[in-house]
Amino acid sequence: MNKLERYIDSEIEYGLRALILISELGDSDLSFEKLLIYDYMLTNFNDFDNSFASVNPDTSYRFSKLVVKRQAYKDGLNYCVIKNLIDINFTSKGVLYTTTSLTPIFISHMDTPYIDKLKQCANHIHDVFGSTEFEELQKIIEEKILKHGISFRAIKD
């Protein structure tokens, strides 16, 4: 395994993507569940909008990542919290994540094609789904999972 491969789909990458999502979605505090959905959208946006290319390639059973990566995503968020890049707010709505004063400074020093693509996609998510309530996002994801599952049954026949 080379040095780069150990960071792909690791808590470091998840933390970085959470950092970009929180930053690009503005001042809104985001719950873990909403961040998890937005992260899926961030890497697989073509599943939701054909006019924008996904960051990750289409793979079979990609919706399973919503369940499989939960702990690694939490670890990535916690890593960013420890480094004071993400702040936690305990509210009547639950635990919500937001930026810190270091967030924009840290992100401004990251200049790669991958980061640029993540920022563009996160900005597009903000434009299309930024004001969408969690329950509606859940319905959208569930519809996509059902459609995705049906397409696999059709392929088997």
Side-chain angles (χ1 to χ4, degrees):
M1 172 185 296
N2 69 36
K3 289 181 182 180
L4 180 60
E5 286 175 339
R6 80 178 119 182
Y7 296 109
I8 295 172
D9 283 337
S10 70
E11 61 271 1
I12 298 294
E13 184 182 8
Y14 293 139
L16 176 63
R17 292 197 318 236
L19 193 63
I20 289 170
L21 279 168
I22 292 168
S23 177
E24 294 297 319
L25 287 165
D27 294 331
S28 60
D29 292 343
L30 297 167
S31 69
F32 174 77
E33 297 297 331
K34 202 166 188 179
L35 271 170
L36 203 57
I37 290 172
Y38 282 150
D39 185 73
Y40 179 84
M41 289 178 163
L42 182 69
T43 55
N44 300 282
F45 200 77
N46 193 262
D47 286 345
F48 304 92
D49 183 346
N50 291 337
S51 69
F52 203 84
S54 295
V55 173
N56 287 355
D58 291 346
T59 58
S60 301
Y61 306 108
R62 60 189 169 276
F63 284 98
S64 66
K65 288 182 179 181
L66 287 166
V67 175
V68 173
K69 70 180 183 181
R70 289 179 72 83
Q71 188 57 52
Y73 202 81
K74 279 183 185 179
D75 293 344
L77 277 171
N78 289 335
Y79 182 78
C80 289
V81 169
I82 290 167
K83 298 298 181 184
N84 199 30
L85 296 170
I86 293 175
D87 198 15
I88 299 176
N89 293 321
F90 299 95
T91 72
S92 60
K93 294 180 183 180
V95 177
L96 303 176
Y97 298 89
T98 190
T99 60
T100 69
S101 60
L102 294 179
T103 307
I105 297 166
F106 181 80
I107 290 176
S108 72
H109 285 78
M110 304 182 80
D111 188 23
T112 67
Y114 177 70
I115 296 298
D116 290 342
K117 192 166 185 177
L118 288 176
K119 287 179 184 178
Q120 289 171 353
C121 193
N123 200 322
H124 198 63
I125 289 169
H126 178 266
D127 293 344
V128 177
F129 296 103
S131 61
T132 306
E133 294 295 324
F134 174 71
E135 292 76 17
E136 185 61 28
L137 286 174
Q138 253 184 326
K139 286 180 188 175
I140 292 167
I141 289 289
E142 288 169 3
E143 288 171 10
K144 295 295 180 182
I145 291 171
L146 180 60
K147 181 179 178 183
H148 192 66
I150 290 170
S151 69
F152 277 108
R153 282 193 285 279
I155 290 170
K156 284 182 170 181
D157 292 338

